Structure formats: C-alpha cells, structure tokens
C-alpha cells in the first residue's frame, strides 16, 4: 500500500495498525473500535474504518457500504454493552462540527442521559 503524508501522520491510522496502543472493543476486516482516551460518558467508544478517510465530508456514494457497516457495528456494540436505555452515535465533521482527529470516526456514547441540543 502506498501511504500519503496525511496517512503516515494520522493518529487513528497508527491506532488501527497498532503502533499506538488502544483498548480494543471490536474489530473486523473493515473497521476497528476502541475506547476513547477521554470518555465523555460511562461508555465512550470510537469506531473507525481501517482505511484512511479524513471525514464524512470526504466520502461519496462509493463509501455507502462501509458507512453503513460502521453504523451497524455501532448498534452491535451498543447491544453487546447492554445500552438498553439508548445511546448516541455522533460523527463530528470538520472544524464547525468539532472534529479534532482527521480520520473519520463514529462516537458511541451511552450509560447516561444525553441532553439536546449539543454544545
Ligand atoms: P473528535 O473530536 O475528532 O470528534 O474525536 C476525537 C476523539 O479521539 C476524542 O474524543 C478524543 O478523546 C479521542 N482521542 C484523541 N487521542 C486519542 C488517543 O490517543 N487514543 C484514544 N483512544 N482516543 C483518542
Ligand atoms: Zn487515518
């Protein structure tokens, strides 16, 4: 695989490949899920594609199957974690969306009541 500069310096690419340690929650050939280092809820898990995609804004119709897979895995993990009262799935996108790591990721948050609107 040819790596671009963005991929080589990407924190979540390094977590996916294991050169930066993380607490694994789930993994398959297309995605990796791990515990957020700064949890904002009793359950706070990040679900990322193994391949580098900068953000939701960088996706196209060609990524529909992968995006659907990520959402489905979020629901599976929520079931596995017995989040029976519900949970929140978030994709912060770009500067106004509050995205701080430029590798597409879903936040799965649960275990407490969430308020709306978000900050
Ligand atoms: P964003 O702000 O881009 O939506 O989410 C990035 C998330 O990555 C944050 O919730 C932050 O706590 C988490 N994070 C940042 N660096 C690390 C790290 O080195 N390890 C893990 N497990 N999570 C991280
Ligand atoms: Zn990456």
């Amino acid at each position: 695989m040819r790596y671009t500069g963005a991929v080589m310096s990407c924190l979540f690419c390094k977590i996916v490949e294991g050169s930066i340690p993380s607490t694994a929650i789930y993994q398959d050939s297309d995605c990796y899920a791990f515990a957020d280092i700064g949890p904002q809820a009793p359950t706070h898990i990040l679900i990322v594609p193994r391949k580098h995609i900068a953000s939701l804004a960088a996706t196209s119709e060609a990524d529909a199957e992968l995006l659907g897979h990520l959402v489905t895995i979020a629901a599976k993990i929520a079931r596995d974690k017995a989040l029976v009262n519900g949970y929140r799935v978030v994709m912060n996108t770009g500067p106004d969306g509050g995205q701080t790591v430029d590798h597409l990721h879903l936040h799965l948050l649960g275990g407490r009541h969430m308020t709306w609107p978000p900050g």
Side-chain angles (χ1 to χ4, degrees), residues 11-12 15 34-38 44 46 92 98-101 105 107:
L11 175 65
F12 287 175
I15 285 178
F34 56 100
D36 195 293
I37 204 168
H44 188 172
L46 301 172
N92 296 328
Q99 184 176 4
T100 60
V101 178
H105 50 282
H107 294 257

Side-chain angles (χ1 to χ4, degrees), residues 54-57 91-102 105:
S55 81
L56 186 61
M91 294 179 79
N92 296 328
T93 304
D96 276 3
Q99 184 176 4
T100 60
V101 178
D102 289 335
H105 50 282

Side-chain angles (χ1 to χ4, degrees), residues 24-104:
I25 304 291
Y26 171 89
Q27 50 194 313
D28 62 30
S29 57
D30 294 316
C31 75
Y32 180 56
F34 56 100
D36 195 293
I37 204 168
Q40 299 300 310
T43 297
H44 188 172
I45 294 164
L46 301 172
I47 302 147
V48 309
R50 288 190 180 276
K51 82 166 185 180
H52 181 84
I53 302 173
S55 81
L56 186 61
T59 63
S60 69
E61 189 63 31
D63 300 303
E65 190 175 338
L66 176 59
L67 290 167
H69 181 62
L70 298 175
V71 175
T72 303
I73 292 305
K76 173 193 159 31
I77 295 170
R79 280 192 297 275
D80 291 348
K81 296 287 180 187
L83 299 177
V84 293
N85 283 330
Y87 50 88
R88 186 168 291 176
V89 175
V90 176
M91 294 179 79
N92 296 328
T93 304
D96 276 3
Q99 184 176 4
T100 60
V101 178
D102 289 335
H103 180 129
L104 186 152

